[in-house]
Amino acid sequence: MPTIRAYRPADREALYDVCVRTGHNGGDATDLYRDPRILPDIFTGPYLALRPDLAFVLADEQDRAVGYILGAADTAAFVAEFRRDWLPTVAARYPEGSGTGRDAERIRDLHHPEWMWHEELAEYPAHLHIDLLPEAQGKGAGRALMGTYLAALRALGVPRVHLGMSAANTGAKAFYDRLGFHELHRTPDGRGLFLGRGTD
Ligand SMILES: CC(C)(COP(=O)(O)OP(=O)(O)OC[C@H]1O[C@@H](n2cnc3c(N)ncnc32)[C@H](O)[C@@H]1OP(=O)(O)O)[C@@H](O)C(=O)NCCC(=O)NCCS
């Protein structure tokens, strides 16, 4: 049975791999980017570096990380730290303004982390990312990880949480609906959705 435990620095590469292998609407993004590490360098690495206390790992019988939930209790503060402390550590690998298509979009996201925060989200200060490898999906681990993460936020006194997702990821949307999330905000192009719920 997989177990949930706190993140350890030795998990880092495995978690980067989980992010890439689930990074295209829930499916494998390995071949979609010139350098697929751009995804975990936006969506995984900064949390492990800046908020390791809010990173939880799903570990298999060999203690290999096959999934995670992570995030930040105060998104506005996280965005500022992302820009100040995280971006300088990876910026040279993805020069600002470089790339085309998807690569260019993600490189823009990396260099402008302010996209993570909208006024509509003010009542939902925390946020999260959750990803499981295919073999770990559909067995209740996502629900269990969410329970662990919500309890950690409650312990910090955080009342509500949000997440951003691709509207095309219908499986994840069904999961979040089932777990009581509701829509807060939609990007003007309709491709991005922000959902939220209380931590109770
Ligand atoms: C989305 C994800 C985190 C869900 O975790 P999971 O372990 O597969 O989900 P669970 O087995 O815990 O399911 C919890 C509930 O959601 C429902 N659910 C989960 N995935 C679903 C799907 N694809 N379609 C319909 N319902 C779904 C389950 O039926 C279950 O309902 P119940 O507990 O009331 O019976 C996981 O599948 C995943 O990592 N997918 C790939 C990466 C991804 O898309 N991440 C989210 C990016 S925004």
Side-chain angles (χ1 to χ4, degrees):
M1 269 293 282
T3 53
I4 296 174
R5 60 167 172 77
Y7 162 72
R8 300 178 198 133
D11 297 317
R12 189 169 182 275
E13 278 310 305
L15 300 190
Y16 263 55
D17 186 51
V18 172
C19 179
V20 172
R21 288 172 59 194
T22 58
H24 181 56
N25 300 329
D28 196 347
T30 305
D31 298 327
L32 296 183
Y33 293 91
R34 192 188 57 76
D35 181 351
R37 277 179 87 87
I38 184 74
L39 292 176
D41 273 339
I42 299 171
F43 298 110
T44 312
Y47 300 90
L48 303 181
L50 302 171
R51 297 288 186 276
D53 52 317
L54 278 178
F56 299 95
V57 165
L58 183 71
D60 69 8
E61 287 77 4
Q62 286 75 45
D63 201 34
R64 184 182 62 115
V66 294
Y68 59 75
I69 190 163
L70 44 72
D74 179 341
T75 301
F78 177 76
V79 168
E81 285 175 55
F82 186 117
R83 172 169 286 289
R84 191 188 65 214
D85 300 329
W86 174 255
L87 183 55
T89 69
V90 292
R93 188 175 172 123
Y94 317 98
E96 187 166 12
S98 67
T100 57
R102 275 198 184 93
D103 290 302
E105 286 178 21
R106 293 297 82 74
I107 289 169
R108 200 166 50 240
D109 290 343
L110 175 73
H111 284 271
H112 300 278
E114 291 75 18
W115 63 266
M116 289 182 207
W117 186 239
H118 299 264
E119 271 309 309
E120 290 91 331
L121 304 173
E123 300 289 309
Y124 295 77
H127 77 276
L128 66 88
H129 297 284
I130 180 170
D131 292 306
L132 281 63
L133 289 180
E135 62 264 32
Q137 295 171 16
K139 299 172 186 166
R143 183 183 275 280
L145 281 166
M146 189 67 77
T148 299
Y149 186 73
L150 294 178
L153 289 180
R154 272 198 308 278
L156 293 172
V158 180
R160 283 172 293 277
V161 61
H162 76 268
L163 61 94
M165 62 173 293
S166 161
N169 190 348
T170 52
K173 179 66 169 52
F175 167 74
Y176 295 127
D177 285 350
R178 195 85 185 124
L179 269 72
F181 284 81
H182 57 273
E183 187 170 327
L184 300 173
H185 173 75
R186 203 173 266 258
T187 58
D189 63 9
R191 287 162 60 198
L193 275 182
F194 289 84
L195 311 178
R197 62 158 280 177
T199 56
D200 51 337

